[in-house]
Amino acid sequence: MSTTTLAGREIHVDAEGFLTEYDEWDEALAAQLADQIGVALTPEHWDVIRFLRADYAETGQTATTRRVQAVGGFPVKQQFVLFPKKPGKKMSYIAGLPKPAGCV
Amino acid sequence: MRRLLILGAGTAGTIAANKLRRMLDADDWQITIVDQRGTHYYQPAFLFIPFGRYRPDKARRKASRLIPSGVTRVEGEIDRVDPDARRVALADGTVLPYDYLIIATGTSPHPEETPGMEGDWHGAVHSFYTFDDAVALRGALAGFTGGRLVVHISEMPIKCPVAPLEFTLLADAHLRERDIRDKVDITFVTPLSGAFTKPVASAAFGGMLDERGIAVEPDFMVESIDAEAHRLVSYDEREVPYDLLVTVPVNKGAAFVGRSGLGDELDFVPVDPHTLRHAAHPEIFAVGDAAAVPTSKAGAVAHFELDVFPENFVRIVAGEEPVESFDGHATCFIESGAGKAMLIDFNYDTEPLPGMFPVPALGPLPLLKESRFNHWGKLAFEPLYWSMLLPGRPLPLPAHMSMRGKRVPS
């Protein structure tokens, strides 16, 4: 684990740059994280990100693309349009959450 | 008399029944196991059957012979758990009340989850995760003389996540033996960003695929299969053509788990990863592939879970706090063809690393490296599965993963 400076403050991140502390995230930081990976945030993006944050607070795990569809109501196809190529990784990166743990 | 009910008589349920019958007093505890199949399969064989290297009938035994005396075996389909009334209803109307419930009903492939997949099942679309699928694929491979072979994972998590990679490596070796490798393009299509889930192993496996001239199509999330045109189509509109598709369909837990309100969006049971206990219903546990815990769905994981879970269960029913905690330990042999295999050993926190296993420096089994010893290890395991693992007798492997003998690459 290491730290980096973003939006004028120090944050804790893992080797791939995913935030490791849930409470270090806010919406200003999300805008910067999105900018880093070339995603321009629209209200639709924010809806998905707010769902991910709330779901993580409830379950302690990052929602997979399937869960974002099944529970959040955002079809996988739409997730691919909003967060091209790698929606699972990009959504969690911007939302300041660990990568979804489906990958084991 | 207290009642323990185990749902599922696969690897995890059978080990749990055997161990807990010995540990719980027969005068105080009635143990019942619901068997939905009647047949117990040695599932690692499903990987060898397609290549004609394993006689299919050797892979199955009557499940009833593996359940110890003193455990009541009920055969039937599970309809629903009523966690508030603490009872389980079977499809035939039987009602089984319990004080404690262990869900061990595993994971199953669901080809119907991907549009177009079922329509050409056992045509140009095959799999090897069930006995029937493995036998059907044996016929398809024997008749395959050239073209595009695509090995495909639909979505994570899947049972035995190294198996698709093993299948690919064995297919490469099989086609070389038949002298037709140069007539076949092999592509490995995965929703992951590389050949495996964890970085060090992914790099090692990626190198092996590369050496063998096997193409990898990463980050591919299948949206549908065009069965007529023989193409996989992804959500981001990439297409992969095939002549023979060997797919791993979406994996889901048992449907009754979802119907009973006990599952996640894939019908796996969310439980504490260290105690395997359900958060909302402390008298319910899930073991083996049925549990939604962040480690591999694999027999080795069921084995290590059941090295620590029964002691914990005995403490819990005695009113004590659970102390031993499961660490996500998994140990998997990975057949790489031509009489060799790799071995990986990992847990929730530590990814598969190079080194020697189980004894540091001496091994004899090298980790993350091809070796004949590992292949022999895999073969030697089969009789132990029936004679030691399922009856719950101790195997000389530590329940918790150890860093001894492992090297962290710089």
Side-chain angles (χ1 to χ4, degrees), chain B residues 334-352:
Chain B
I334 300 154
E335 284 293 306
S336 54
K340 292 186 180 177
M342 318 245 294
L343 180 66
I344 55 175
D345 187 59
F346 58 103
N347 70 7
Y348 289 140
D349 303 316
T350 304
E351 63 171 311

Side-chain angles (χ1 to χ4, degrees), chain B residues 49-383:
Chain B
I49 288 172
F51 301 103
R53 287 171 47 189
Y54 195 101
R55 219 178 67 225
D57 59 306
K58 248 187 83 200
R60 53 184 174 190
R61 293 193 186 178
K62 265 196 155 141
S64 57
R65 289 169 46 199
L66 305 164
I67 306 302
S69 60
V71 172
T72 307
R73 182 176 150 277
V74 176
E75 207 168 306
E77 191 191 327
I78 300 156
D79 177 46
R80 192 177 292 268
V81 179
D82 182 342
D84 297 320
R86 297 192 185 180
R87 59 183 179 222
V88 171
L90 303 187
D92 66 7
T94 307
V95 173
L96 302 166
Y98 64 82
D99 298 302
Y100 292 91
L101 182 71
I102 297 175
I103 300 175
T105 36
T107 175
S108 307
H110 284 262
E112 78 285 0
E113 286 275 332
T114 304
M117 192 180 276
E118 249 186 335
D120 201 24
W121 199 247
H122 294 182
V125 181
H126 281 265
S127 190
F128 57 88
Y129 272 75
T130 68
F131 182 82
D132 291 347
D133 288 346
V135 172
L137 178 54
R138 181 177 64 167
L141 258 187
F144 185 67
T145 52
R148 291 162 299 200
L149 169 64
V150 172
V151 183
H152 166 245
I153 300 169
S154 297
E155 182 175 327
M156 297 301 290
I158 58 169
K159 181 183 330 220
C160 192
V162 292
L165 195 69
E166 290 182 276
F167 180 85
T168 308
L169 296 170
L170 290 175
D172 170 82
H174 168 84
L175 295 166
R176 282 178 207 281
E177 272 167 37
R178 287 172 57 195
D179 226 6
I180 54 169
R181 180 63 183 89
D182 58 335
K183 295 188 173 64
V184 181
D185 288 324
I186 308 181
T187 307
F188 185 74
V189 180
T190 170
L192 301 171
S193 292
F196 192 59
T197 55
K198 310 277 175 136
V200 176
S202 186
F205 297 149
M208 292 171 70
L209 294 175
D210 202 40
E211 274 166 28
R212 290 161 171 80
I214 296 164
V216 179
E217 185 74 29
D219 296 308
F220 189 98
M221 266 193 77
V222 68
E223 181 176 15
S224 63
I225 288 181
D226 184 338
E228 251 168 58
H230 288 192
R231 283 169 194 279
L232 285 166
V233 183
S234 71
Y235 278 104
D236 55 355
E237 282 147 29
R238 280 180 282 160
E239 293 189 349
V240 176
Y242 61 82
D243 295 300
L244 176 60
L245 175 65
V246 179
T247 187
V248 185
V250 171
N251 270 231
K252 294 175 79 170
F256 80 83
V257 170
R259 279 199 296 275
S260 310
L262 292 171
D264 64 10
E265 59 282 358
L266 284 167
D267 295 339
F268 296 120
V269 187
V271 287
D272 180 283
H274 302 296
T275 62
L276 307 173
R277 192 176 196 176
H278 197 281
H281 302 284
E283 68 287 352
I284 298 180
F285 301 84
V287 295
D289 296 345
V293 290
T295 185
S296 290
K297 296 197 178 299
V301 172
H303 161 206
F304 292 128
E305 281 176 358
L306 289 159
D307 272 350
V308 293
F309 170 77
E311 286 82 357
N312 248 344
F313 182 80
V314 169
R315 278 190 200 96
I316 288 168
V317 298
E320 295 164 30
E321 282 302 303
V323 293
E324 289 222 65
S325 68
F326 177 59
D327 66 352
H329 192 188
T331 304
C332 308
F333 288 108
I334 300 154
E335 284 293 306
S336 54
K340 292 186 180 177
M342 318 245 294
L343 180 66
I344 55 175
D345 187 59
F346 58 103
N347 70 7
Y348 289 140
D349 303 316
T350 304
E351 63 171 311
L353 295 169
M356 294 299 274
F357 183 87
V359 183
L362 296 175
L365 308 177
L367 293 163
L368 257 187
K369 194 171 163 230
E370 284 185 84
S371 151
R372 288 191 189 283
F373 284 107
N374 288 334
H375 173 64
W376 294 332
K378 181 146 183 156
L379 297 183
F381 180 70
E382 183 175 349

Side-chain angles (χ1 to χ4, degrees), chain A residues 79-92:
Chain A
Q79 298 174 43
F80 268 91
V81 172
L82 294 173
F83 306 93
K85 302 282 180 203
K86 302 181 184 186
K89 275 189 190 167
K90 287 182 176 174
M91 293 185 298
S92 47

